Amino acid sequence: MACERNIDRPFGISDKDIEVVTSKAKDYALAKGIAMRVKDLSPDARVPLPFCLVPSQFSKEWFLYVKSIQEDMNYLIHQVANNPEFLKKCLLNTAEFDEFTRNLLDIYDTVQKEGISQPLSLGILRTDYMLDLNNEEVTGIKLIENNTFASSLCGIAPQLRDLHSYVLNISGVSDFQSKLPHNSSLVDIARGMVCAWEAYGKKDSVILFVVEDHSFNICDQRALEFAIYDLRNDIRVLRCAFGCLRKCVSSKQERLFVGSKEVGLVYYRYGFAPDHYTKDKEDWEVRLLIERSHAIKCPSVAYHLAGTKKVQLSLSLPGTLEKFFDDQQTVERLRQVFAAHYALDMNEEGDRAVSMALENPHRFVMKPEREGGGNNLFDDDMKQCLKSIGSTDGRQAYILMDRINPPAVPNYIIQRDTIPSVTNVMSELGIFGVILGSKDHIQLNYGAGHLLRSKRVGLNEGGIAAGFGAVDSPYLI
Ligand code: ADP
Ligand code: MG
């Protein structure tokens, strides 16, 4: 077994026991749906998702802190989504250089001009954070990004707590239960979707999941579908890809239909990247048809835009949070989690940001307006990119952000067909949130459980879908 030297074995599990524990943990993962489809096996096959064998230590203080601000975070995003001037101001520059953002803004403008058919929207958010380590001390927690589109893994996150409880138990660890926080992300989010469907108010309407042709993260998506069914077995979920929707979606007097079924709620798990849409624009026409309809959208195009990196940059600037909250205490509590962001506009400030990043690339992350992981630029890649576009207006399609350095803790990342080895990992904590409402009337607003993902120290990105990270759960200290 290949283990890195000088790393403490977490929870004292000996090298002798690790293979047996890992084998049982993999079976537990498969039995409980901590699993995915993979490209090289038949669509019927499932393998365990990459997962951490034991829970990773995480600061209890900051865990509770970010949980306590999630309702305000939900409300902030809701307000941004309902503020056309703010959204447009944030995104006009990006739209000029980024076709994907422009396409979204075009849909947004069209429905704004025509008048919004459905005032309610459902937000299922996941606000991602990293602990901020300075001089070997955790000094705070910083927001990495707010996801408003296809916030994934709520269906699997609760199972990680149970998996870790099982692993610690069979490894002879005691007194750990109170350190593993309860996690109700699945049922909380399913409840939000059921409430949105009920708010639509038609018993025969369905919930439409817009999905990819072949869903690799199928267990997570199905878990949510089945949790909806557990809450109300009279709701039907339809899963359709854009290719299928092109043929069977229609609207009659703003009511949305798939075949003969009226749709009450549209839940997008796909459509957050340019290559999710065909070049001929037909998929964009489907997106517009849905957006124009009376169905409740999760997310609406406004919520989609509210989750962009440019919006996050604007929210981090002094004076912006005050526009959305009268209460100074709330502003202060939220402000604490925003790291410094820098616009790369064509002005002196933008020039200064470029020079700063070229001088100290390891202190920053450069982000294009993309989702789904694997798109950000770090270190030499960032330097190369800035050298080539840093003085051109193309730089405006990116933002710059302070790089956060979370603490490293020992764990074992369990992956298919590999031998487990102890390694140092860094974690990213996501807090889920649900918000349902119109511009002036909020019907639901609550925090909805959490997700921990961890990656090997030294890796820049940590997305599971993009193949960089592992699902995990926090051990609060
Ligand atoms: P995406 O929308 O593609 O998921 P994110 O902004 O969430 O983009 O970044 C992807 C990953 O890059 C994060 O999960 C994290 O591992 C890393 N990352 C992003 N921003 C920072 C940052 N400021 N400091 C350190 N790592 C970061
Ligand atoms: Mg994202």
Side-chain angles (χ1 to χ4, degrees), residues 343-363:
L344 297 175
D345 295 340
M346 297 311 288
N347 54 25
E348 254 179 55
E349 235 178 297
D351 293 343
R352 258 202 309 278
V354 170
S355 313
M356 206 168 63
L358 281 170
E359 274 162 38
N360 286 302
H362 60 282
R363 284 188 40 214

Side-chain angles (χ1 to χ4, degrees), residues 297-410:
K297 273 76 71 180
C298 178
S300 65
V301 73
Y303 258 79
H304 191 168
L305 292 168
T308 52
K309 292 171 170 76
K310 259 293 171 64
V311 163
Q312 185 168 318
L313 178 146
S314 301
L315 292 174
S316 76
L317 301 177
T320 311
L321 292 174
E322 286 84 347
K323 288 188 189 144
F324 297 104
F325 295 95
D326 296 330
D327 172 25
Q328 194 55 29
Q329 263 185 340
T330 309
V331 169
E332 291 306 326
R333 282 167 62 75
L334 286 175
R335 195 192 320 282
Q336 272 216 43
V337 301
F338 279 90
H341 293 64
Y342 313 86
L344 297 175
D345 295 340
M346 297 311 288
N347 54 25
E348 254 179 55
E349 235 178 297
D351 293 343
R352 258 202 309 278
V354 170
S355 313
M356 206 168 63
L358 281 170
E359 274 162 38
N360 286 302
H362 60 282
R363 284 188 40 214
F364 303 96
V365 182
M366 192 171 155
K367 299 188 177 189
E369 203 51 86
R370 287 288 173 273
E371 291 297 328
N375 303 299
N376 297 337
L377 297 170
F378 297 83
D379 305 313
D380 275 349
D381 295 336
M382 173 167 64
K383 220 168 155 176
Q384 289 309 321
C385 180
L386 281 175
K387 276 186 180 161
S388 88
I389 64 158
S391 49
T392 70
D393 50 12
R395 75 188 194 194
Q396 296 174 99
Y398 295 81
I399 67 156
L400 199 66
M401 178 181 180
D402 273 357
R403 185 161 179 171
I404 310 305
N405 294 301
V409 294

Side-chain angles (χ1 to χ4, degrees), residues 76-306:
L76 175 64
I77 296 298
H78 183 80
Q79 298 241 74
V80 168
N82 283 289
N83 187 327
E85 296 78 41
F86 182 79
L87 267 184
K88 294 288 283 265
K89 196 163 164 239
C90 290
L91 290 165
L92 273 182
N93 253 2
T94 315
E96 207 176 313
F97 299 96
D98 182 48
E99 192 187 352
F100 184 67
T101 310
R102 192 159 62 242
N103 286 337
L104 291 174
L105 269 179
D106 284 347
I107 293 182
Y108 180 72
D109 282 338
T110 306
V111 293
Q112 285 285 320
K113 267 188 218 126
E114 291 174 354
I116 304 285
S117 167
Q118 174 55 262
L120 289 176
S121 52
L122 174 67
I124 296 179
L125 275 53
R126 203 189 66 220
T127 311
D128 290 337
Y129 301 92
M130 279 180 178
L131 290 170
D132 193 10
L133 191 72
N134 288 292
N135 299 323
E136 305 201 1
E137 229 186 281
V138 171
T139 52
I141 194 163
K142 296 292 178 213
L143 191 154
I144 296 296
E145 71 152 349
N146 247 317
N147 296 288
T148 59
F149 197 111
S151 308
S152 65
L153 294 170
C154 73
I156 284 174
Q159 302 290 1
L160 264 294
R161 185 204 177 278
D162 298 344
L163 166 73
H164 286 155
S165 174
Y166 169 74
V167 166
L168 295 186
N169 241 322
I170 61 169
S171 305
V173 180
S174 51
D175 292 337
F176 60 83
Q177 287 295 350
S178 64
K179 310 263 179 41
L180 304 182
H182 175 70
N183 191 359
S184 53
S185 58
L186 177 57
V187 63
D188 287 351
I189 288 175
R191 179 159 64 90
M193 295 179 76
V194 167
C195 288
W197 176 86
E198 286 171 346
Y200 186 78
K202 286 204 181 153
K203 274 198 167 307
D204 292 335
S205 69
V206 300
I207 297 181
L208 170 67
F209 280 33
V210 178
V211 295
E212 56 274 68
D213 285 327
H214 306 283
S215 297
F216 291 101
N217 197 11
I218 187 69
C219 298
D220 179 43
Q221 294 183 12
R222 287 287 192 201
L224 191 53
E225 177 179 338
F226 302 150
I228 291 169
Y229 184 75
D230 286 345
L231 291 172
R232 273 198 77 139
N233 64 12
D234 55 341
I235 300 181
R236 291 290 170 267
V237 167
L238 291 183
R239 294 170 55 86
C240 289
F242 276 117
C244 145
L245 290 174
R246 282 168 175 227
K247 293 186 206 118
C248 60
V249 79
S250 63
S251 93
K252 288 180 203 113
Q253 282 134 14
E254 299 187 352
R255 288 156 65 199
L256 184 71
F257 290 87
V258 170
S260 60
K261 300 275 183 212
E262 182 165 356
V263 178
L265 172 67
V266 182
Y267 172 60
Y268 288 98
R269 288 297 292 245
Y270 198 65
F272 53 81
D275 64 358
H276 295 179
Y277 298 81
T278 46
K279 294 245 175 330
D280 59 15
K281 288 266 178 187
E282 273 195 57
D283 292 348
W284 283 107
E285 281 160 23
V286 169
R287 181 90 195 259
L288 175 62
L289 185 138
I290 292 174
E291 198 63 31
R292 277 175 160 152
S293 78
H294 191 61
I296 298 174
K297 273 76 71 180
C298 178
S300 65
V301 73
Y303 258 79
H304 191 168
L305 292 168

